[in-house]
């Protein structure tokens, strides 16, 4: 256990993210004033970093070494000059208004001012670089989607060199990651050029059932074996939501449709047909640029189900192995074998699907660089059209989190080398990176990257990350995001529990009615 004692609330997310990235083999806990006394007593002996935040600066004690930082109030709320806050004489300039984290509404600069938080994050990051002898691929960048920064700067007319310098000087991001962000932002600009940002929308339909729940999963997902009797009623409720959206947004242009989960192909062929038939009856597909279905679990894929997908015009599917190491698949509870994955992929090709994605996860328990290389070699032989490479993120609601509490995080290894192996595999397949995002508690301070061949890019993946178009989401646990012309975003979420979603379907629809106007 690696414990950090922090004397203020509202900073724990950034502190935890940065410290965890420097100590990936440790389970990091952050104590704050809100921590219960009993828990504090139990963990007091494990404290290795103490942070004292005050309006005038901060004091940091790391493994017995002390460091001080002085905060000087800037002339304006958000300055474009180098930050007056100092740590050994240098701290990069504060974040712009577009990039600042949301504040707490407090007049105390420790809690409210973005430039204070930015200066402190620089101080913490540089101190840990000094004490550990390490630098992080993404520097002190937390809470901001990397490509969003580049997109904003490009829209301001900044040059490539200015964008790269911004990442490296302001956030200490490595040259490689800065270039990756810039390349993807440039590509996203082109791919989103034909999207109807204001008068259009995308549709997400969630199927929250899976053959089994994987060790790492925190999505709304229920083992299909215990819910088969509810599936028909669940589809009825999806149809009700579809009918409302089709009528309410009849004046809007539908750009993409994405059916995810869970695993949509846990539905029986007749259930899929009923869902797709009503979907095509209700919505104008003449404008739809992409129709994706996650057929993610190979043990849920049959010829009959793929035939339904083809007949109703699905243009893109996923067949997701996550790894090609059988021992890992068994351990994480993913019942489909490597052989089943290869057979399902071959079946989809025979059925005529020419845009197949594969998802992989790096950093799974016990996997080495050799295991990742083996997986990539097998994937290159299969030659999918796109590849999504995830760095394992430890979700609080997953069974993996409980396993780590019992066994530690030492078996979870993701490195520059494993990320490079995946990138080289994508290059062999003539793919380029086209979308990128990061998550909290991500293995190795890395990222999730989508690679694809030209013409096989997943538009919905970009839209859900960049939040530049309204996405109406149906099904248990689905979150609808309304994007206003001024960039403001409002959300509403359906209930996660299947039974509650079914029982409260009219309430779910009313939430959408109120949000969508």
């Amino acid at each position: 256990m690696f414990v950090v004692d922090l004397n203020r609330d509202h900073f724990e997310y950034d502190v935890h993210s940065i410290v965890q990235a420097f100590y990936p083999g440790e389970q990091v806990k952050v104590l704050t004033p809100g921590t219960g006394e009993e828990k504090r007593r139990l963990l007091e002996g494990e404290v290795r970093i103490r942070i004292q935040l005050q309006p005038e600066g901060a004091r940091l004690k790391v493994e017995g070494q002390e460091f001080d930082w002085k905060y000087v109030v800037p002339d304006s709320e958000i300055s474009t000059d180098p930050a007056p806050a100092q740590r050994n004489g240098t701290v990069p300039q504060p974040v712009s208004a577009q990039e600042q984290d949301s504040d707490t509404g407090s007049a105390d600069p420790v809690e409210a001012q973005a430039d204070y938080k930015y200066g402190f994050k620089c101080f913490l990051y540089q101190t840990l670089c000094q004490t550990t002898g390490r630098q992080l691929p993404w520097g002190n960048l937390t809470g901001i989607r990397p490509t969003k920064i580049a997109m904003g700067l490009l829209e301001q007319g900044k040059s490539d060199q200015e964008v790269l310098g911004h990442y490296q000087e302001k956030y200490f991001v490595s040259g490689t990651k800065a270039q990756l962000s810039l390349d993807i932002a440039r590509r996203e600009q082109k791919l989103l050029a034909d999207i109807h940002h204001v008068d259009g929308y995308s549709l997400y339909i969630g199927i929250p059932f899976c053959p089994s729940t994987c060790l790492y999963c925190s999505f709304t997902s229920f083992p299909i074996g215990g819910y088969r009797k509810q599936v028909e009623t669940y589809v009825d409720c999806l149809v009700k939501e579809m009918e409302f959206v089709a009528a309410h947004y009849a004046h809007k242009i539908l750009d993409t449709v994405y059916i995810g989960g869970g695993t949509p192909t846990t539905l029986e062929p007749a259930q899929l047909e009923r869902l797709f038939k009503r979907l095509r009856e209700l919505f104008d597909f003449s404008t739809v640029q992409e129709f994706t279905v996650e057929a993610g679990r190979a043990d849920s894929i049959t010829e009959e189900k793929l035939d339904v997908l083809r007949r109703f015009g699905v243009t893109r599917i996923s067949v997701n192995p996550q790894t090609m190491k059988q021992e890992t698949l068994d351990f994480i509870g993913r019942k489909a074998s490597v052989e089943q994955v290869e057979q399902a992929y071959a079946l989809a090709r025979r059925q005529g699907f020419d845009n197949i994605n594969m998802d992989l996860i790096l950093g799974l328990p016990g996997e080495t660089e050799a295991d990742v290389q083996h997986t990539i070699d097998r994937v290159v032989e299969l030659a999918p059209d796109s590849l999504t490479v995830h760095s394992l993120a430890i979700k609080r609601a997953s069974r993996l989190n409980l396993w780590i509490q019992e066994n530690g995080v030492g078996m979870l290894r993701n490195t520059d080398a494993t990320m490079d192996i995946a990138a080289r595999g994508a290059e062999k397949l003539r793919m380029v990176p086209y979308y990128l995002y990061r998550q909290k508690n991500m293995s190795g301070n890395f990222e999730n990257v989508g690679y694809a061949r030209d013409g096989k890019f997943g538009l919905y993946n970009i839209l859900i990350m960049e939040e530049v178009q309204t996405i109406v989401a149906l099904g248990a646990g689905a979150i609808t995001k309304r994007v206003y012309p001024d960039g403001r975003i409002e959300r509403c979420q359906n209930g996660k529990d299947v039974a509650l979603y079914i029982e409260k379907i009219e309430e779910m629809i009313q939430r959408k009615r109120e949000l969508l106007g």
Side-chain angles (χ1 to χ4, degrees):
M1 184 73 69
F2 192 113
V3 179
V4 181
D5 189 5
L6 174 65
N7 73 323
R8 290 285 190 134
D9 294 316
H10 309 304
F11 280 67
E12 55 265 36
Y13 171 82
D14 295 301
V15 168
H16 184 277
S17 297
I18 292 172
V19 173
Q20 182 69 77
F22 275 101
Y23 297 92
E26 303 277 3
Q27 189 175 355
V28 174
K29 295 286 185 183
V30 179
L31 304 180
T32 67
T35 303
E37 285 302 315
E38 182 177 354
K39 185 175 183 181
R40 181 175 286 277
R41 283 196 301 271
L42 287 172
L43 296 177
E44 181 64 30
E46 304 292 333
V47 173
R48 292 167 65 180
I49 295 179
R50 293 189 186 276
I51 302 172
Q52 291 290 317
L53 299 177
Q54 301 296 338
E56 64 271 15
R59 170 161 289 186
L60 184 59
K61 189 172 183 179
V62 184
E63 308 278 15
Q65 300 182 68
E66 290 192 353
F67 303 84
D68 290 298
W69 167 64
K70 183 180 179 181
Y71 170 69
V72 180
V73 179
D75 293 333
S76 60
E77 183 179 352
I78 299 295
S79 171
T80 57
D81 297 323
Q86 297 179 14
R87 186 221 179 263
N88 295 335
T90 60
V91 168
Q93 64 187 37
V95 291
S96 69
Q98 291 178 329
E99 296 169 24
Q100 62 180 302
D101 295 321
S102 59
D103 62 44
T104 64
S106 169
D108 185 342
V110 175
E111 295 185 357
Q113 291 191 17
D115 59 288
Y116 180 98
K117 177 177 277 191
Y118 171 75
F120 166 70
K121 285 171 63 177
C122 291
F123 166 57
L124 175 61
Y125 177 79
Q126 290 176 315
T127 300
L128 293 179
C129 284
Q130 180 178 328
T131 56
T132 65
R134 295 182 60 222
Q135 293 183 324
L136 302 179
W138 288 102
N140 69 357
L141 193 61
T142 62
I144 304 170
R145 292 187 302 280
T147 53
K148 195 175 187 66
I149 297 171
M151 292 278 275
L153 293 170
L154 290 172
E155 288 171 3
Q156 295 173 28
K158 301 295 184 182
S159 69
D160 286 4
Q161 285 307 118
E162 287 175 313
V163 174
L164 295 175
H166 186 92
Y167 279 100
Q168 294 173 283
E169 295 165 17
K170 185 169 286 191
Y171 299 110
F172 312 104
V173 173
S174 72
T176 299
K177 299 304 182 187
Q179 188 66 57
L180 177 66
S181 299
L182 175 59
D183 290 345
I184 290 175
R186 288 280 190 201
R187 196 161 282 119
E188 286 183 350
Q189 281 186 324
K190 295 179 181 178
L191 292 171
L192 296 178
D194 295 329
I195 290 293
H196 300 88
H197 297 272
V198 177
D199 56 348
Y201 72 107
S202 288
L203 185 68
Y204 174 85
I205 300 174
I207 308 297
F209 309 111
C210 273
S212 62
T213 302
C214 297
L215 185 71
Y216 53 79
C217 185
S218 65
F219 291 113
T220 303
S221 174
F222 303 90
I224 187 66
Y227 287 83
R228 290 198 185 280
K229 292 181 180 179
Q230 293 177 277
V231 173
E232 290 290 343
T233 308
Y234 182 82
V235 173
D236 290 340
C237 292
L238 287 178
V239 169
K240 286 184 179 181
E241 282 201 281
M242 287 193 299
E243 289 171 345
F244 164 74
V245 175
H248 197 75
Y249 263 12
H251 63 294
K252 294 278 190 178
I253 299 168
L254 182 60
D255 278 317
T256 73
V257 177
Y258 192 102
I259 301 183
T263 306
T265 44
T266 51
L267 270 58
E268 295 300 324
Q271 293 165 341
L272 287 170
E273 178 144 7
R274 182 160 75 93
L275 179 66
F276 290 161
K277 185 174 185 294
R278 194 68 182 124
L279 179 67
R280 297 299 295 245
E281 289 171 349
L282 288 169
F283 295 91
D284 178 7
F285 268 70
S286 67
T287 61
V288 172
Q289 301 181 45
E290 176 184 278
F291 183 9
T292 298
V293 173
E294 289 185 4
R297 292 283 292 265
D299 48 346
S300 72
I301 297 173
T302 67
E303 185 173 354
E304 292 77 15
K305 293 176 185 180
L306 290 175
D307 180 62
V308 174
L309 270 57
R310 285 293 295 169
R311 285 191 289 109
F312 286 94
V314 173
T315 59
R316 184 175 181 271
I317 66 170
S318 290
V319 179
N320 300 330
Q322 312 302 3
T323 176
M324 289 294 201
K325 183 179 179 181
Q326 188 61 53
E327 293 84 352
T328 304
L329 291 174
D330 294 339
F331 179 76
I332 64 177
R334 201 166 177 86
K335 302 301 183 181
S337 67
V338 171
E339 184 179 10
Q340 282 178 298
V341 169
E342 294 174 341
Q343 290 173 347
Y345 177 86
L347 179 60
R349 285 298 195 204
R350 289 198 300 272
Q351 289 283 93
F353 287 96
D354 61 1
N355 193 351
I356 302 177
N357 175 75
M358 283 190 159
D359 279 8
L360 302 176
I361 299 177
L362 306 187
L364 288 169
E367 292 225 332
T368 64
E369 292 175 12
D371 295 325
V372 174
Q373 186 65 65
H374 170 74
T375 291
I376 293 298
D377 290 343
R378 297 287 288 271
V379 169
V380 168
E381 290 176 9
L382 293 172
D385 305 287
S386 61
L387 186 65
T388 307
V389 179
H390 298 270
S391 295
L392 179 68
I394 304 165
K395 299 294 189 178
R396 193 172 0 180
S398 69
R399 291 187 295 116
L400 176 62
N401 190 40
L402 296 175
W403 182 86
I404 288 171
Q405 292 178 31
E406 296 175 0
N407 299 278
V409 298
M411 288 183 68
L412 308 181
R413 295 186 294 272
N414 196 20
T415 64
D416 285 304
T418 51
M419 296 296 290
D420 288 344
I421 289 167
R424 289 197 301 271
E427 189 175 359
K428 285 182 180 178
L429 290 167
R430 304 188 308 282
M431 296 179 185
V432 293
Y434 76 96
Y435 88 108
L436 160 72
Y437 68 102
R438 301 180 67 224
Q439 295 170 277
K440 186 179 179 182
N441 297 335
M442 182 168 275
S443 176
N445 190 240
F446 292 113
E447 66 281 336
N448 299 330
V449 182
Y451 299 90
R453 292 176 178 152
D454 189 40
K456 306 297 183 180
F457 305 107
L459 292 176
Y460 179 86
N461 291 332
I462 301 173
L463 291 169
I464 195 68
M465 286 299 115
E466 296 305 327
E467 297 181 320
V468 293
Q469 185 191 55
T470 293
I471 294 179
V472 183
L474 319 181
I479 302 174
T480 294
K481 296 181 184 180
R482 182 179 180 184
V483 180
Y484 290 83
D486 62 1
R488 180 167 48 97
I489 298 172
E490 293 184 5
R491 298 168 171 82
C492 72
Q493 181 172 359
N494 286 347
K496 291 185 177 182
D497 181 75
V498 170
L500 189 61
Y501 166 77
I502 291 172
E503 179 186 346
K504 303 287 188 180
I505 185 59
E506 296 303 330
E507 180 183 323
M508 305 298 108
I509 292 172
Q510 181 59 28
R511 290 179 188 179
K512 286 185 174 58
R513 182 177 287 110
E514 294 172 0
L515 176 66
L516 300 178

